[in-house]
Amino acid sequence: MSATAPTPNPSATEAPQPGAEVLLRALKDQGVEVIFGYPGGAVLPIYDAIFKQNAIRHILVRHEQAAVHAAEGYARSTGRVGVVLVTSGPGATNAVTGLVDALMDSIPVVCLTGQVPTHLIGNDAFQEADTTGITRPATKHNYLVKRPQDLARTVHEAFYVAKSGRPGPVLIDLPKDILIGPAPYAPPPEAPHRSYRPRREPDPASIARAVTMLKAAKRPVVYAGGGVINAGPEAAAALTDFVRRAGIPITNTLMGLGSFPASDPLFLGMLGMHGTVEANLAMHGCDVMLAVGARFDDRVTGRLDAFSPGSRKIHIDIDPSSINKNVPVDLAIVADAGQALAALNAAWLADEARQDRAALGAWWQKIEAWRATKCLAYGQARGEGALIKPQYAIERLRDLAAASGRECFFTTEVGQHQMWAAQFLRFDRPNHWMTSGGLGTMGYGLPAAMGVQIAHPDALVVDVAGEASILMNIQELGTLAQYRLPVKVFILNNEYMGMVRQWQELLHGGRYAESYSAALPDFVRLAESFHGAGMRVTEVDRLDDAIRAMIASDKAFILDVAVDPAENCFPMIPSGAAHDQMILGPGKQEAAPGVSDEGLALV
Amino acid sequence: MPANSDNTMRSATISVLVENEAGVLARVVGLFSGRGYNIESLTVAPVEDGRNRSRINIVTSGTAMVIEQIKAQLDRLVPVHRVADLTQQGPHLAREMALIKVVGRGNDRAEALRLADAFRARVVDATVESFVFEMTGSSDKLDAFVELMRPLGLAEVSRTGVAALARGTRTI
């Protein structure tokens, strides 16, 4: 047992310990079991304290950005707060992309950064950066601890802020002298926070109004996002209950996939830029919309003035600033998604009004007609020389992963492969799908998968990747090797930055500026050089065997799937177009709507 | 409910009660610049002795939807205790103070002094060829006085920005 093992009865009057020990004790009190980090001069005292204990495990990443994504993967697959530890200066600046990613996707992360000693702050000291200044707009909140007596309190507060209300990343900047010098310990406070107390309970009158609106609706739709996932599995269960009881169609955002079972016929698929025809047209034509934990992002709404023009909108969100930000709504309910949905279920049962079943039936008929367009259909040729369609590869991955009987988690990088994964992997449960939604961070998937695998050592964790994205954090193969994490990397290799190429084809006259993936590595030998295994598959008929081999492998594994380089991701709502102006792809539609200059300026 | 079609710009005086901690002003200012909101005037100073709180008064402008968004964004900052839209809540006082330096001789100088008297500006510094006036009032009144001084030798202006309170018994 180490000298720093937690004492059974901590008394308030015990002797002060070094700051680094106090920090670790506060982390333990917050239930932290894993830290993703990378050492450096300013954080050496923390590493020394970590060395002397066994309660908290440290995972050494190969780049600080990856530490944050790994913590995100850990947080999203467990519902807990992910913890990151990096050094001052470049350690902190490297973490910034991960922090903004967590901010955009509302993922609870606490990031500890080293800082030069307080007396050197502002002197341009070695590895000094104005970390709190740089990360102020990159975090939900951040702190610079300048006095030892603030240390323990700040750590507890950071965890509270990271997971309360709309979750997000919180950074604590820790000068080296604070870590070395003595600091008093303080347990987590029992009093409520002095200023930050987000509202969680819905207003009952608003819930009652929502029930009235939804029961009277002739063409209702539910639009559920990542807020439902963040509110915990009970929220997803309450959502599923509600939608099934009401028998109304539901669509998910990219972040919300898994909040409602994709295998249920009430599910219309994902909506938005690469959403299904039935989801987008249902949103366009509905008369009452229930938005839960979704933020009317531009990728979802398309052209704002043409977004769901005839509907009355109900918006449940824990963040009041998400309401009426892009789209004005008729009924705002500020609350935790789980609590609001539970209240909605109770009020629905207590209310005696009946739904307009005839109108609902007609609405479903319309939706089924849209669904019959089979907008995700693609043609997979067979035989010698037939190219593997990326959609087919994802479908085979989905089915063979399910057939393995193991618990499966999927992460992605960013681009076409991400959209195909969102369209074709079907999630029946929350917390099994991790993708960079808001920031769209290439390089997210591999480290996120690493974090997921740490939290779920026996699960099958697959990073669906593109050959371009995967190179952005490829160094993490080293981390996988060190901790023997059997993460699978499923590369849809079309030798292009596929989404960039698609936009260049559709919007920039087919001038493929800098989007060709030249000089690619041999991914199989790359995996092997990092003590993993790999395989490349180019023929349709060998795909299944290759996927089975990947799943069966007990090592980190790269499966390099050569797919049709010309395939595009459809349906697509071009930037600046409306939900009813989708491009359906070759052979499915004659005229694509023109993209306006205004639309061209949107990304 | 703010209507999407309502693009009328309005001015808003917003008071924010914040925890007086390092970086809190930067958070507020960064929010405005990062999200592209206007700041027409901003004042900040500690208030409420012993409770470690500061009050920030911001004069901004935008459509109804943008003003609502500004308030919601401010309110979710961790060190923010309260946000009040004084313009929307009803009658309120908004005052600022200015120091105005006028340099000149002869008739212009005499005229400047007469106008200062009419505007109830106080002379706080004088030399044989200059005055510094101190004036408190609404921003409009200060603007008007500064304009009048321009042809009379206006040399320099320093303004505090707006301090604001609701009228009557209501507090933030």
Side-chain angles (χ1 to χ4, degrees), chain A residues 5 34 37 93 95 113 133 161 188 243 257 264 291 308 327 330 334 415 445 454-456 534 546 570 593:
Chain A
V34 183
T93 55
T113 53
V161 171
V243 171
L257 294 173
D264 192 303
S308 193
V327 173
D330 302 83
V334 175
I454 289 286
H456 308 273
F570 294 114

Side-chain angles (χ1 to χ4, degrees), chain A residues 163-165 197-203 231 318 334-340:
Chain A
K163 64 190 177 193
S164 306
R197 295 185 295 269
R199 177 183 182 138
R200 292 175 53 80
E201 301 79 26
D203 163 38
I318 197 154
V334 175
D336 171 76
Q339 296 202 16

Side-chain angles (χ1 to χ4, degrees), chain A residues 96-112:
Chain A
V96 169
T97 301
L99 293 172
V100 180
D101 191 90
L103 182 71
M104 295 284 274
D105 285 346
S106 311
I107 309 301
V109 167
V110 168
C111 179
L112 309 165

Side-chain angles (χ1 to χ4, degrees), chain A residues 83-147:
Chain A
V83 182
V84 176
L85 169 58
V86 297
T87 195
S88 62
T93 55
N94 273 347
V96 169
T97 301
L99 293 172
V100 180
D101 191 90
L103 182 71
M104 295 284 274
D105 285 346
S106 311
I107 309 301
V109 167
V110 168
C111 179
L112 309 165
T113 53
Q115 183 53 279
V116 301
T118 45
H119 68 272
L120 282 180
I121 289 179
N123 278 14
D124 299 324
F126 178 65
Q127 292 197 328
E128 181 186 358
D130 175 10
T131 301
T132 47
I134 290 168
T135 61
R136 203 169 283 126
T139 54
K140 179 174 174 184
H141 194 58
N142 63 16
Y143 303 89
L144 169 61
V145 179
K146 283 175 133 171
R147 304 183 308 173

